[in-house]
């Protein structure tokens, strides 16, 4: 067995090892020796063996075999061994280890040792690794030591008590009384310990907090003596007398004064004194001022004091020291909610801090700037934020873009500004925006109908200059597809006119399609946009056809599917192409489909399969429109649609038609078309709609899908006419010719007044030869403000082909009174 | 309360670690790794504070050693800079012009000094003089027993 070398030799040997391997070798050798020596019971060099082991442990090597040795050493009568033993215990044992329980008894014995240094070792170890059980066991001992006469022990006992209270809050009661009496001590160490103990006790239990409110005058007195007393070399730090104690007292005052007028009043003078008299040239003075400011802002202080505190923070903001600026912004962040006006005064400085090279300061400045954005300063604030975005560190980009979007959404002064801002962000940091940005932006653009021309021109130009930012490219493609005709018209009020030819637009889209930077999603957008342009531009449709057919054999399945279907649209269903690709309606922001991304495909499949429910919820949101009436027609019948599997290609129609006879007439209508290709055409059309919708708004265009599908199928759009309007109640009528003699009339009632309308009923009368069949209405209540409609179908059969007239009696109750009216309809829209 | 105190060199070698909350070995290693990565990557003129998980990290560089501490939400960062400074002053007083080698070769003494200054995550003694006196007395208690823990030397 090689002789053990002294600790310092070992350290030298390890440090001089040139490679990891060599170091490991030295350590393994030493550990073997140490292990052997531990096994020997009586040994002189035990403490330095353990010390060597602890060094090895600090380097990161396993040292668990030293745990038992620590326990043995703690029990040794020699002070040096105890010292290292306790150190080892603190390093190697923690409350999760079983061995820690073994030292409880040793600690207990040492707590009543004659030497204060042994007692302090025990106290220190208990405060460091004491588990809940150990704390419960030894709490009475600690309480006894708190009342000892020795300041050295008292201060250590106080901090040990703090650990116990943190671990086992119920034991707080045990220490409360003694803690109070400790406030009368002169020794700073004990005083400091007492203040921290009281703080922890108050944090643990609100009752204790109430009891300790009585100590506020004592604390104020102690603080005053610290602030005004003469120079004390022992505790002085750069002119401040015992800053550690001062800060802790201020923190305790904060907790005691919170939500309590009386306590806050007692402190006001003191806080004002500290705030004005503390020297703020050094960090230590600023530490005390900082704590004072936090206290003032948290308690119920008088307004003058609050203003003083905010001014101090303002001064901090202008300080050269970065640390001070950082904490100033952190504090301002806390109060920006409540004292917004006060913080707004410093907006300039905060925005300047955005340009600070330090990352921590930048982050704080960003958080605070976003919190300070308001309707009045949004323009200048956004300018600064956009400048910041172009130079900000990558880890802050996502946060910045989200913050900018949120602020723009809340405070946008005009739609054009809003669109401009979003476009700017997309060009600068397009890669870091959230996923919902693209649909949100598209929604915004469709809603700003007067800016379509401007938007599409701007996006086109952005597309020409850079196609690497995917969200921007996606939005640009979508807009060009939708508003391509505006683009080609050339003139635009807000921008200088630029000649844009159909060829250049198609070329731009082709570049996107072929670029390696474009993701599959972006390519999908571009392909669909190209397809849409086939209806918007008159010449050069062949080019579009060729582009589309090329992608028919693309490797990407999504693109291939789209291309094949668009091809089909060109070849077989050219007559439907215009209707299918017409411009989208304004999307209702709050429609259920709007935010629902993945049910997109689901709803379309629903046309082929089931998922009736979504359609039902969607339907009430449809804009009042003739075709929508038709949908309502079908919608009413949805309850009884069997949720069965798709039955071949004609399912879209059949699932609708199985419900009611009206559906059957629909089928007749469709029977007028070519039967067999229709089936596949119908199944193709929903797919096409899916692509169109998938791009626009992952979800909200279910509406449009259904609409477009049916309009394509039905091949005509019949208008709705308002036949009655009074007291906010309107009745619209629309009709379709089902066959030579059969007509379906749809009556729809709507209430735009502020109060609900109940007992809404319709009665109809027609000329003698006409057969009338009124179906059950969808309801008899019209909620206020047009939240829902009542629909009623009337089937008319006119075999003699007389001039069709109808008289309708409308009766309802509104605001307590009942109303009855009659209208005569002489001409039916849509019937020639 | 202070959650932990770490001392490490510019090369990423740990010189002292004090944990005031119970953590497993794995967690401790992770924290050490994270702290070293983050702190050593900061530029010289940066702010001494940063946010990491839910803790405020305060670090200060003294010669070749980084002193890094993790604080809770309620703690005063500027004051903790003073705490670090006070600790360095105590080391300096004890070792006489302390340098990194002192802390390497006499690490157990550095721990003893720390235990006289901080306990349970809070400041124990606010007087520089008192800490020095108690350390001296404790050492004397030892010197009469063992020749190993004698005056610090390389």
């Amino acid at each position: 067995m090689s002789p053990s070398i002294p600790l310092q030799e070992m350290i030298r040997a390890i440090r001089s090892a040139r490679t990891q391997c060599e170091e490991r070798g030295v350590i393994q050798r030493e550990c073997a020796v140490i292990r052997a020596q531990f096994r020997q019971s009586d040994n002189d060099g035990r403490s330095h063996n353990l010390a060597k082991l602890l060094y090895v442990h600090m380097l990161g090597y396993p040292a668990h075999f030293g745990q038992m040795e620590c326990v043995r050493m703690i029990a040794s009568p020699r002070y040096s061994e105890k010292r290292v033993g306790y150190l080892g215990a603190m390093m190697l044992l923690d409350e999760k280890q079983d061995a820690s329980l073994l030292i409880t008894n040793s600690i207990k014995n040492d707590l009543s040792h004659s030497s204060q240094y042994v007692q302090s070792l025990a106290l220190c170890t208990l405060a460091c690794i004491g588990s809940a059980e150990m704390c419960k066991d030894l709490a009475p001992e600690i309480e006894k030591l708190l009342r000892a006469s020795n300041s050295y022990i008292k201060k250590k006992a106080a901090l040990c008590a703090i650990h116990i209270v943190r671990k086992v809050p119920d034991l707080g009661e045990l220490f409360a009384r003694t803690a109070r009496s400790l406030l009368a001590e002169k020794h700073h160490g004990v005083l400091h310990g007492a203040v921290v103990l009281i703080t922890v006790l108050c944090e643990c239990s609100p009752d204790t907090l109430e009891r300790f409110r009585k100590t506020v005058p004592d604390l104020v007195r102690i603080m005053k003596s610290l602030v005004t007393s003469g120079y004390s070399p022992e505790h002085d730090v750069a002119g401040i007398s015992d800053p550690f104690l001062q800060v802790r007292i201020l923190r305790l005052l904060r907790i005691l004064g919170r939500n309590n007028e009386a306590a806050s009043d007692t402190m006001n003078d003191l806080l004002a004194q500290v705030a004005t008299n503390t020297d703020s040239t050094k960090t230590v003075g600023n530490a005390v001022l900082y704590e004072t400011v936090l206290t003032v802002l948290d308690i119920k202080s008088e307004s003058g004091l609050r203003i003083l505190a905010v001014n101090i923070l303002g001064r901090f903001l202008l300080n050269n020291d970065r640390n001070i600026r950082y904490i100033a912004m952190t504090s301002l962040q806390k109060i920006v909610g409540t004292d917004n006006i006060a913080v707004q005064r410093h907006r300039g400085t905060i925005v300047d801090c955005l340009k600070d090279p330090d990352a921590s300061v930048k982050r704080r400045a960003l958080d605070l700037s976003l919190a300070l954005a308001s309707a009045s300063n949004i323009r200048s604030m956004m300018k600064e934020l956009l400048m910041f975005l172009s130079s900000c560190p990558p880890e802050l980009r996502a946060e910045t873009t989200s913050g900018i979007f949120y602020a723009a959404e809340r405070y946008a002064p005009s739609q054009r500004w809003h669109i401009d801002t979003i476009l700017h962000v997309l060009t600068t940091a397009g890669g870091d925006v959230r996923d919902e940005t693209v649909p949100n932006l598209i929604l915004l653009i469709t809603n700003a109908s007067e800016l379509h021309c401007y938007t599409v021109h701007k996006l086109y130009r952005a597309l020409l200059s850079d196609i690497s930012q995917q969200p921007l490219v996606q939005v640009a493609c979508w807009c060009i597809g939708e508003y391509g005709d505006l683009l080609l018209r050339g003139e635009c009020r807000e921008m200088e006119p630029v000649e844009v030819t159909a060829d250049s637009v198609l070329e731009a889209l082709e570049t996107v399609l072929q670029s390696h930077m474009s993701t599959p999603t972006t390519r999908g957008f571009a392909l669909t946009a190209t397809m849409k342009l086939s209806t918007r531009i008159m010449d050069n449709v062949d080019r579009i056809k060729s582009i589309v057919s090329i992608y028919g054999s693309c490797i990407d399945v999504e693109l291939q599917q789209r291309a094949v279907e668009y091809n089909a649209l060109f070849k077989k269903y050219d007559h439907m192409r215009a209707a299918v690709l017409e411009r989208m309606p304004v999307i209702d922001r709050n429609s259920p489909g709007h935010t629902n991304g993945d049910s997109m495909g689901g709803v379309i499949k629903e046309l082929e399969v089931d998922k009736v429910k979504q359609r039902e919820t969607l339907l009430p949101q449809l804009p009042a429109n003739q075709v929508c009436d038709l949908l309502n027609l079908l919608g009413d019948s949805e309850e009884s649609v069997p949720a069965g599997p798709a039955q071949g290609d004609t399912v879209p129609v059949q699932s609708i038609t199985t419900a009611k006879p009206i559906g059957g007439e629909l089928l007749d209508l469709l029977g007028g078309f070519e039967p067999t290709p229709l089936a596949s055409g119908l199944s193709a059309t929903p797919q096409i709609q899916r692509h169109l919708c998938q791009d626009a708004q992952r979800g909200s265009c279910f509406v449009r899908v259904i609409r477009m599908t049916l309009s394509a199928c039905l091949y005509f759009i019949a208008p709705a006419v308002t036949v009655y309007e009074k007291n906010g109640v309107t009745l619209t009528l629309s009709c379709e010719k089902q066959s030579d003699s059969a007509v379906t009339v749809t009556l729809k009632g709507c209430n735009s007044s502020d109060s609900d309308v109940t007992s809404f009923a319709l009665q109809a009368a027609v000329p003698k030869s006409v057969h009338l069949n009124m179906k059950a209405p969808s309801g008899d209540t019209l909620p206020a403000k047009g939240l829902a409609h009542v629909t009623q179908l009337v089937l008319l059969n006119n075999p003699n082909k007389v001039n069709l007239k109808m008289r309708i009696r409308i009766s309802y109750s509104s605001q307590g009174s009942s109303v009855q009216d009659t209208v005569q309809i002489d001409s039916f829209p849509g019937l020639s | 309360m202070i959650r932990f105190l770490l001392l490490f060199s510019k090369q990423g070698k740990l010189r002292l670690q004090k944990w005031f909350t119970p953590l497993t070995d794995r967690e401790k290693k992770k924290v050490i790794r994270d702290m070293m990565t983050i702190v050593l990557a900061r530029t010289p003129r940066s702010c001494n504070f940063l946010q990491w998980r839910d803790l405020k990290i305060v670090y200060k560089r003294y010669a070749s050693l980084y002193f890094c501490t993790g604080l809770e939400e309620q703690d005063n960062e500027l004051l903790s800079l003073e705490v670090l400074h006070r600790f360095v002053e105590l080391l300096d007083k004890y070792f006489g012009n302390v340098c990194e080698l002192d802390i390497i070769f006499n690490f157990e003494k550095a721990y003893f000094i720390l235990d006289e200054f901080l306990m349970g995550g809070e400041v124990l003694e606010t007087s520089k003089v008192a800490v020095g006196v108690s350390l001296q007395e404790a050492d004397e208690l030892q010197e009469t027993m063992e020749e190993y823990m004698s005056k610090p030397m390389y």
Side-chain angles (χ1 to χ4, degrees):
Chain A
M1 202 194 320
S2 50
S4 67
I5 53 177
L7 168 66
Q8 319 226 315
E9 284 287 327
M10 184 190 81
I11 296 177
R12 212 168 293 131
I14 293 173
R15 280 169 63 79
S16 58
R18 266 161 292 146
T19 63
Q20 264 287 59
C21 193
E22 228 180 290
E23 180 182 299
R24 257 200 304 264
V26 173
I27 289 177
Q28 268 172 0
R29 258 198 319 273
E30 278 306 314
C31 283
V33 173
I34 293 169
R35 258 195 297 252
Q37 302 218 315
F38 282 169
R39 266 180 253 131
Q40 292 178 1
S41 49
D42 205 18
N43 197 316
D44 253 351
R46 277 164 76 193
S47 51
H48 87 223
N49 277 330
L50 188 56
K52 281 197 273 185
L53 185 61
L54 293 178
Y55 184 79
V56 163
H57 172 74
M58 191 150 62
L59 289 178
Y61 294 89
H64 42 269
F65 56 89
Q67 286 174 3
M68 285 316 293
E69 187 64 16
C70 289
V71 176
R72 271 198 292 268
M73 301 246 314
I74 287 173
S76 150
R78 293 158 97 175
Y79 179 69
S80 57
E81 291 182 355
K82 268 197 204 287
R83 216 180 186 192
V84 180
Y86 273 117
L87 179 65
M90 284 193 273
M91 284 178 76
L92 299 178
L93 299 174
D94 57 46
E95 58 179 51
K96 299 193 170 97
Q97 311 273 4
D98 295 328
S100 60
L101 288 172
L102 297 171
I103 61 173
T104 315
N105 212 27
S106 299
I107 293 182
K108 190 167 186 167
N109 290 336
D110 283 337
L111 280 176
S112 32
H113 200 277
S114 50
S115 163
Q116 67 177 17
Y117 293 104
V118 175
Q119 284 177 308
S120 85
L121 285 177
L123 284 167
C124 190
T125 311
L126 184 61
C128 187
I129 61 165
S131 65
E133 287 80 39
M134 284 164 75
C135 289
K136 273 192 235 166
D137 270 343
L138 299 169
E141 303 285 324
I142 306 299
E143 204 270 326
K144 212 165 59 180
L145 288 173
L146 262 183
R147 288 182 274 117
S149 53
N150 187 337
S151 314
Y152 182 77
I153 293 300
K154 265 199 278 209
K155 75 183 185 205
K156 297 214 174 189
L159 289 183
C160 197
I162 289 167
H163 175 84
I164 293 176
V165 174
R166 281 199 181 122
K167 269 274 180 287
V168 189
D170 296 329
L171 288 171
E173 264 313 304
L174 189 59
F175 300 109
R177 196 143 45 102
T178 330
R180 178 86 208 264
S181 59
L182 283 176
L183 277 183
E185 288 283 324
K186 291 275 172 285
H187 189 272
H188 280 227
V190 181
L191 210 46
H192 186 274
V195 171
V196 181
L197 179 57
I198 296 175
T199 313
V200 173
L201 287 170
C202 291
E203 280 168 2
C204 280
S205 132
D207 294 327
T208 331
L209 192 135
E210 288 299 326
R211 291 218 314 258
F212 275 113
R213 279 233 175 81
K214 293 178 271 190
T215 61
V216 171
D218 294 322
L219 293 167
V220 169
R221 190 180 35 82
I222 297 171
M223 189 73 189
K224 266 214 172 82
S225 70
L226 281 175
V227 171
T228 53
S229 69
Y231 177 74
S232 151
E234 209 181 322
H235 301 112
D236 184 271
V237 179
I240 313 273
S241 179
D242 207 342
F244 305 104
L245 184 57
Q246 286 195 23
V247 167
R248 288 319 300 235
I249 292 181
L250 286 167
R251 198 161 136 186
L252 181 55
L253 286 175
R254 182 154 87 234
I255 296 173
L256 293 174
R258 204 179 275 154
N259 293 331
N260 187 294
E261 290 276 354
S264 308
D265 281 334
T266 334
M267 300 174 207
N268 267 320
D269 283 336
L270 169 71
L271 293 171
Q273 193 182 2
V274 175
T276 36
N277 290 346
T278 310
D279 174 27
S280 59
T281 47
K282 291 268 170 71
T283 311
V284 63
N286 286 324
V288 177
L289 271 178
Y290 176 44
E291 199 71 31
T292 317
V293 165
L294 286 180
T295 305
V296 167
L297 293 173
D298 214 6
I299 64 172
K300 291 200 177 292
S301 50
E302 52 185 37
S303 59
L305 197 52
R306 272 191 104 83
I307 294 174
L308 179 62
V310 179
N311 284 345
I312 292 178
L313 286 180
R315 244 182 29 231
F316 277 1
L317 268 182
L318 298 166
N319 197 308
N320 279 330
D321 190 346
R322 269 206 188 92
N323 295 336
I324 313 277
R325 269 184 282 157
Y326 179 90
I327 57 148
M329 284 195 279
T330 320
S331 322
L332 287 172
Q333 182 89 30
K334 291 194 192 132
I335 60 165
V336 78
T338 46
D339 294 78
N340 198 302
I341 308 149
V343 184
Q344 287 281 3
R345 236 180 282 140
H346 303 288
R347 191 165 54 88
T349 328
I350 294 167
V351 165
D352 277 337
C353 286
L354 280 173
K355 303 186 191 104
D356 195 299
D358 183 84
S360 308
V361 173
K362 267 211 218 329
R363 179 182 283 278
R364 286 274 164 249
L366 174 67
D367 287 339
L368 204 47
S369 306
L370 289 173
L372 285 178
S374 74
S376 46
N377 60 32
I378 188 67
R379 279 187 197 266
S380 49
M381 189 60 97
M382 196 52 81
K383 246 187 279 195
E384 294 288 339
L385 286 171
L386 290 174
M387 236 178 354
F388 173 68
L389 184 63
S390 42
S391 61
C392 87
E395 63 267 10
L396 288 178
R397 275 183 153 201
E399 229 177 282
T400 318
T401 52
S402 319
I404 288 178
F405 284 151
Y406 180 70
E409 213 171 283
R410 277 184 80 181
Y411 304 116
S414 73
Q415 281 186 319
R416 180 172 160 181
W417 181 92
H418 195 175
I419 291 177
D420 275 338
T421 311
I422 298 188
L423 289 180
H424 192 139
V425 173
L426 286 181
T427 37
T428 344
D432 298 292
V433 299
R434 285 182 316 205
D435 294 329
E436 314 91 72
T437 315
V438 171
N440 283 345
L441 180 56
I442 291 179
L443 176 69
L444 190 62
I445 292 175
T446 46
N447 280 335
S449 35
E450 60 287 358
L451 290 168
H452 285 168
C453 189
Y454 167 74
T455 316
V456 70
H457 272 272
K458 201 138 182 217
L459 282 169
Y460 178 65
R461 264 167 239 199
L463 190 68
L464 286 179
S465 52
D466 173 27
I467 59 169
S468 61
Q469 307 275 28
Q470 297 306 298
L472 181 66
V473 173
Q474 287 170 8
V475 175
C477 288
W478 189 90
C479 277
I480 293 174
E482 272 297 295
Y483 310 120
D485 47 334
L486 295 174
L487 184 63
L488 293 169
R489 234 191 285 147
E491 93 264 351
C492 179
R493 271 172 300 133
E494 287 101 338
M495 299 177 76
E496 324 101 49
V498 144
E499 189 60 42
V500 179
T501 60
D503 273 327
S504 52
V505 175
L506 286 174
E507 209 173 292
L509 288 173
E510 259 184 310
T511 323
V512 173
L513 273 171
Q514 289 158 3
S515 163
H516 63 278
M517 290 189 278
S518 306
T519 61
T521 328
T522 316
R523 285 221 179 85
F525 270 86
L527 190 60
T528 308
T530 317
M531 189 62 197
K532 283 190 210 170
L533 284 178
S534 69
T535 48
R536 318 266 196 264
I537 61 180
M538 290 310 116
D539 43 297
N540 230 339
V541 184
D542 295 321
R543 187 167 173 185
I544 295 179
K545 274 197 204 160
S546 61
I547 297 174
V548 167
S549 54
I550 290 174
Y551 282 87
S553 47
C554 173
I555 289 182
D556 185 86
V557 177
E558 173 71 24
L559 283 179
Q560 191 187 71
Q561 184 174 10
R562 288 189 187 208
V564 164
E565 285 161 8
Y566 295 156
N567 251 339
L569 202 58
F570 267 125
K571 297 208 174 74
K572 289 192 221 163
Y573 302 103
D574 214 32
H575 52 273
M576 284 203 265
R577 189 160 49 91
V580 168
L581 298 171
E582 77 163 35
R583 195 166 288 182
M584 292 210 182
V586 171
I587 301 162
D588 178 14
R589 178 154 224 156
N590 296 317
S591 66
H594 171 78
T595 45
N596 199 345
D598 352 87
S599 54
M600 223 279 7
V603 171
I604 303 313
K605 285 186 178 33
E606 163 265 323
L607 280 183
E608 295 158 359
V609 212
D610 40 351
K611 298 244 180 103
V612 175
K613 287 192 224 60
Q614 277 167 338
R615 227 169 160 198
E616 280 177 23
T617 50
L618 280 171
L619 292 171
Q621 309 273 357
L622 294 175
N625 178 305
Q626 158 54 15
V627 181
C628 297
D629 291 348
L630 192 61
L631 278 171
N632 277 341
L633 188 107
L634 302 164
D636 291 341
S637 64
E638 287 309 39
E639 282 91 9
S640 35
V641 169
Q647 302 145 21
D649 288 348
T650 50
V651 157
V653 175
Q654 280 180 356
S655 63
I656 297 165
T657 61
T658 40
K660 282 219 174 139
I662 194 65
E665 296 176 47
L666 193 60
L667 186 54
D668 281 357
L669 191 73
L670 292 164
F673 294 166
E674 321 97 273
T676 359
L678 179 69
S680 53
L682 278 172
S683 66
T685 335
Q687 289 288 42
I688 295 171
Q689 307 315 321
R690 175 169 74 82
H691 303 315
L692 295 170
C693 300
Q694 201 166 22
D695 298 342
Q697 196 59 272
R698 303 196 161 266
S700 78
C701 281
F702 308 151
V703 170
R704 182 171 174 275
V705 171
I706 302 161
R707 213 184 114 226
M708 290 313 301
T709 311
L710 290 168
S711 69
C713 301
L714 301 171
Y715 208 51
F716 71 97
I717 297 174
V721 169
T722 309
V723 296
Y724 168 84
E725 192 161 18
K726 192 172 155 188
N727 300 339
V729 179
T730 44
L731 186 70
T732 58
L733 178 147
S734 59
C735 51
E736 281 107 45
K737 223 170 143 68
Q738 308 301 340
S739 68
D740 262 359
S741 60
V743 177
T744 309
V745 176
T746 310
L747 298 163
K748 196 157 117 182
C750 177
N751 171 20
S752 60
S753 71
D754 284 358
S755 55
D756 291 349
V757 160
T758 52
S759 316
F760 183 78
L762 298 170
Q763 289 163 303
V766 287
K768 268 214 195 96
S769 58
V770 181
H771 292 283
L772 174 78
N773 185 1
M774 282 191 92
K775 297 287 172 193
S778 64
D780 70 338
T781 313
L782 292 173
K785 302 198 206 300
L787 287 175
H789 315 285
V790 164
T791 316
Q792 191 157 19
L793 297 173
V794 180
L795 310 177
L796 301 173
N797 203 356
N798 187 5
N800 298 346
K801 303 227 195 316
V802 302
N803 208 4
L804 204 54
K805 288 197 228 277
M806 188 154 84
R807 194 177 288 169
I808 302 178
R809 186 191 290 177
I810 308 160
S811 55
Y812 57 88
S813 302
S814 165
Q815 286 165 328
S817 55
S818 55
V819 181
Q820 231 181 49
D821 274 326
T822 316
V823 285
Q824 171 113 355
I825 299 158
D826 294 320
S827 70
F828 286 77
L831 295 181
S832 48
Chain B
M1 107 182 213
I2 300 176
R3 291 276 182 95
F4 58 82
L5 175 66
L6 303 173
L7 263 69
F8 48 86
S9 69
K10 263 200 305 214
Q11 286 80 35
K13 286 243 188 277
L14 189 66
R15 299 298 175 208
L16 193 142
Q17 53 175 324
K18 187 78 187 178
W19 303 91
F20 295 105
T21 47
L23 290 177
T24 63
D25 260 344
R26 270 189 76 191
E27 287 164 353
K28 285 184 191 168
K29 284 203 166 69
K30 174 122 204 332
V31 173
I32 293 169
R33 227 186 7 247
D34 282 347
M35 286 300 107
M36 285 196 192
T37 325
I38 297 174
V39 170
L40 292 173
R42 304 270 286 181
T43 54
R45 301 202 136 278
S46 326
C47 183
N48 292 99
F49 312 132
L50 51 102
Q51 190 76 22
W52 178 78
R53 294 200 195 160
D54 62 330
L55 298 178
K56 302 197 241 203
I57 306 296
V58 177
Y59 74 93
K60 191 120 202 264
R61 186 171 146 247
Y62 287 92
S64 57
L65 270 183
Y66 280 92
F67 287 66
C68 174
T69 163
L71 308 172
E72 288 179 343
E73 193 53 44
Q74 295 293 320
D75 294 323
N76 187 326
E77 298 100 311
L78 290 175
L79 192 73
S80 67
L81 276 179
E82 287 303 310
V83 167
L84 290 176
H85 192 76
R86 174 60 69 86
F87 182 45
V88 173
E89 283 178 344
L90 291 171
L91 287 171
D92 195 51
K93 187 85 192 293
Y94 184 81
F95 287 109
N97 251 337
V98 68
C99 64
E100 195 182 338
L101 282 175
D102 286 320
I103 302 184
I104 296 170
F105 280 96
N106 299 287
F107 69 95
E108 74 282 3
K109 301 249 175 168
Y111 274 104
F112 297 149
I113 296 170
L114 184 61
D115 285 338
E116 284 296 321
F117 176 50
L118 295 177
M119 196 165 113
E122 305 285 351
V123 169
L124 171 61
E125 176 58 67
T126 57
S127 155
K128 284 184 268 197
V129 172
V131 177
V133 163
S134 45
L135 279 169
Q136 214 171 352
E137 287 182 10
D139 282 346
E140 274 164 23
L141 205 58
Q142 232 181 254
E143 267 197 35
T144 53
M145 305 255 175
E146 252 272 12
E147 79 276 22
Y148 155 66
M149 291 262 200
S150 54
K151 296 237 175 7
M153 62 183 202
Y154 295 127

